[in-house]
Amino acid sequence: MTTLGDVSFWYSDIGLPRTRRPALSGDAEADVVIVGAGYTGLWTAYYLKALDPGLRVTVLEKHFAGYGASGRNGGWLSGGFAWNHERYAEMAGAPAVRRMVQAMMGTVDEVIAVAEAEGIDADIRRCDELMVATNDAQRQRLSDEVKHRAKWGEQGRVFSIDADAVSERVRIPEAKGGMIVTGTARIQPAKLVRGLAEAVERRGVTIHEGTEVTRIVSGAAHTATGILRAPVVLRCTEGFTATLPGYRRTWLPLNSAQIATEPLAPEIWERIGWDGHEILGDFDHTYCYCQRTREGRITVGARGVPYRFGSQLDRDGTPDAETVRRLTAILHRHFPAARKARIDHAWCGVLGVPRDWCATVGLGADGIGWAGGYVGVGVSTSNLAGRTLADLALGRRTELTGLPWVNRRVREWEPEPLRWLGVHGMYRLYDIADRRERAGGPPSALARFGNRLTGRE
Ligand SMILES: Cc1cc2nc3c(=O)[nH]c(=O)nc-3n(C[C@H](O)[C@H](O)[C@H](O)COP(=O)(O)OP(=O)(O)OC[C@H]3O[C@@H](n4cnc5c(N)ncnc54)[C@H](O)[C@@H]3O)c2cc1C
């Protein structure tokens, strides 16, 4: 039997929290209020206390720390720059974008260093990222991607390998080549977010769980059980942001879903290879992302239903049957040796997508700050965001606060049904493009058209 939802497989692994931290009861005051106890909120709290141990920092969380994408993701700690370099460069110039690429690359070491210092066991394993091209069109995209990333400062760590070199690492039947990114790592997401929550509490941060913020205003966060006043209020709700009044069209909640197999027998692993435990994906337009877990399962992630009308959210990560079928088909295509493996768990979650598909972090003159819109690369980015938000909140002008994503303002998404039509249109075009390319066609222009439809390109 496949478990559906229950937040994520990662919580089946470590157990859902049995109790909640106390909710906010009555009005209170703090120096900084953080809304949302995912990686972004917790990293921000962590660095605030590291910079100013006496600061009163309170985190308000609707469910429990790690309920959102931070406890559900694919565990890729990639340090990758996932957004449109040129868009940032238009306003800030190319050297500033290169500085941000370097800062992103540094997040992997930083997360690992803090995890070690705080005694957080998150199954962290340093490994390469391997993106596999499975047809000629994808091979072309791979080669373009390597050049593009080298141009923006990743030349030292990104390179391509041929089909034989891929199969020395992992046997994927259709592989025609691969892109390697060094300096990345695999994690168990829920272990990281749980450990981080405990680490910030040890530093004196208060976390109230079961406390939904109903309104953010200058100087306060309102909840049903009290108002928490503070000169600085930070919105760290990423994919959930559309549920907050005033922010309904700020970031679109895009869905991503995953499955986890049962632990595979050693003879199956022998057929698959994958001894390097690379974080592994493909070059489909509707790309997948996989990991080999601590105990020898395969997780496969990809888009299912890309977006729900009116920015609605899933219920505790429960995916639909078609999504599970699609993910299982990807598993069987890339890892035929695991065809008979039981699917133990399937789940989904939301990530935040801004109108220009570029992540931002900032603090307004009204004392309201934010970070997010990571477009699916938030495990490492949230760490950079947390360090940057902490600097902004304390009024520090640092190298981080000078990066081009800081205080970048982006227009809102369109009202429905345009949002739904745009995103579903884009993914429909991706599907057609992938099918044509799989049949031997050249890189499809349809996908680019799809990207333009939603402002991705
Ligand atoms: C299925 C999936 C796979 C992914 N895989 C990867 C990956 O492999 N690598 C990668 O880099 N990124 C990945 N991402 C993206 C990454 O997980 C996120 O970008 C990142 O976790 C965002 O962290 P966050 O703290 O900003 O948001 P979240 O972790 O979503 O936390 C937001 C928190 O705010 C709380 N909240 C919401 N509304 C309120 C409210 N009104 N009041 C109080 N609290 C509220 C929520 O309950 C939640 O706990 C994935 C995302 C998903 C969904």
Side-chain angles (χ1 to χ4, degrees):
M1 267 281 283
T2 303
T3 303
L4 297 176
D6 263 0
V7 188
S8 73
F9 160 73
W10 309 116
Y11 284 107
S12 294
D13 189 30
I14 60 170
L16 278 163
R18 276 198 224 110
T19 55
R20 298 278 155 99
R21 295 173 169 95
L24 180 70
S25 61
D27 295 352
E29 280 184 12
D31 296 313
V32 180
V33 176
I34 294 171
V35 182
Y39 298 141
T40 303
L42 295 171
W43 279 125
T44 306
Y46 184 84
Y47 291 108
L48 279 168
K49 288 299 258 185
L51 289 166
D52 184 349
L55 208 68
R56 294 169 305 159
V57 180
T58 300
V59 182
L60 301 177
E61 163 58 47
K62 181 175 174 180
H63 299 278
F64 60 85
Y67 171 82
S70 301
R72 308 186 195 190
N73 63 70
W76 282 39
L77 179 62
S78 68
F81 188 99
W83 319 285
N84 190 316
H85 299 79
E86 283 82 6
R87 283 206 175 136
Y88 291 111
E90 271 164 27
M91 290 178 70
V97 180
R98 289 204 179 85
R99 281 201 300 279
M100 188 167 155
V101 169
Q102 294 300 317
M104 278 300 304
M105 280 158 54
T107 57
V108 176
D109 283 347
E110 174 66 15
V111 171
I112 293 174
V114 175
E116 277 170 10
E118 296 293 338
I120 302 172
D121 168 14
D123 299 346
I124 297 177
R125 184 180 171 125
R126 287 186 187 272
C127 60
D128 291 343
E129 176 183 327
L130 168 58
M131 296 290 290
V132 177
T134 57
N135 57 49
D136 289 338
Q138 289 190 15
R139 208 159 46 175
Q140 182 60 53
R141 262 203 301 292
L142 181 160
S143 149
D144 294 346
E145 176 73 9
V146 170
K147 282 188 209 128
H148 177 73
R149 289 175 70 153
K151 178 181 142 196
W152 286 103
E154 289 189 71
Q155 64 278 6
R157 71 162 191 162
V158 180
F159 56 91
S160 57
I161 57 175
D162 64 17
D164 288 343
V166 172
S167 80
E168 273 167 28
R169 289 177 181 245
V170 54
R171 256 81 70 194
I172 291 186
E174 297 168 337
K176 287 194 179 279
M179 178 178 84
I180 297 290
V181 184
T182 62
T184 66
R186 173 212 79 187
I187 63 156
Q188 205 283 29
K191 282 184 161 185
L192 178 62
V193 73
R194 181 172 287 181
L196 208 47
E198 290 164 0
V200 301
E201 279 183 320
R202 283 197 298 274
R203 287 178 175 242
V205 171
T206 304
I207 303 176
H208 291 295
E209 295 185 329
T211 304
E212 177 177 8
V213 171
T214 50
R215 204 154 55 95
I216 293 175
V217 294
S218 180
H222 289 246
T223 77
T225 51
I227 299 173
L228 189 52
R229 293 179 212 285
V232 176
V233 183
L234 304 176
R235 169 170 56 80
C236 300
T237 48
E238 243 256 310
F240 299 84
T241 300
T243 61
L244 282 165
Y247 300 99
R248 296 206 190 283
R249 291 195 275 132
T250 303
W251 292 330
L252 181 142
L254 198 67
N255 294 305
S256 195
Q258 286 178 80
I259 53 170
T261 66
E262 64 182 326
L264 303 183
E267 54 275 20
I268 297 184
W269 278 117
E270 231 159 74
R271 284 160 63 197
I272 294 173
W274 206 355
D275 298 330
H277 294 244
E278 292 87 350
I279 46 176
L280 181 75
D282 66 23
F283 269 94
D284 269 5
H285 296 288
T286 55
Y287 65 89
C288 73
Y289 52 94
C290 312
Q291 74 150 272
R292 175 175 179 169
T293 68
R294 171 195 79 236
E295 76 280 43
R297 300 170 191 266
I298 296 178
T299 63
V300 177
R303 295 275 172 274
V305 174
Y307 166 74
R308 293 186 175 82
F309 191 88
S311 297
Q312 290 174 66
L313 302 177
D314 55 83
R315 214 174 311 130
D316 292 339
T318 307
D320 60 292
E322 172 58 16
T323 296
V324 180
R325 192 200 62 73
R326 281 181 77 132
L327 297 181
T328 308
I330 295 171
L331 172 79
H332 293 173
R333 183 153 52 89
H334 288 339
F335 309 101
R339 197 170 265 281
K340 292 210 176 100
R342 197 180 60 233
I343 307 299
D344 274 350
H345 209 125
W347 72 100
C348 63
V350 283
L351 43 103
V353 178
R355 188 64 183 82
D356 69 349
W357 298 72
C358 289
T360 56
V361 49
L363 179 68
D366 56 3
I368 299 178
W370 77 92
Y374 309 132
V375 197
V377 181
V379 177
S380 39
T381 315
S382 55
N383 175 271
L384 187 64
R387 280 184 273 149
T388 309
L389 258 187
D391 282 349
L392 290 170
L394 295 175
R396 287 158 48 94
R397 282 176 69 116
T398 62
E399 225 169 88
L400 295 183
T401 62
L403 292 177
W405 67 329
V406 175
N407 285 326
R408 184 181 161 85
R409 300 278 178 177
V410 184
R411 77 180 166 95
E412 293 193 319
W413 284 91
E414 288 75 359
E416 296 291 21
L418 295 176
R419 283 204 302 280
W420 189 92
L421 287 170
V423 177
H424 279 258
M426 180 179 84
Y427 277 97
R428 183 91 192 92
L429 290 167
Y430 282 178
D431 276 338
I432 300 170
D434 282 336
R435 241 178 292 132
R436 288 190 181 169
E437 291 179 357
R438 217 167 284 153
S444 172
L446 284 177
R448 293 203 76 174
F449 182 63
N451 286 339
R452 296 220 172 101
L453 202 63
T454 58
R456 191 170 196 168
E457 255 184 49

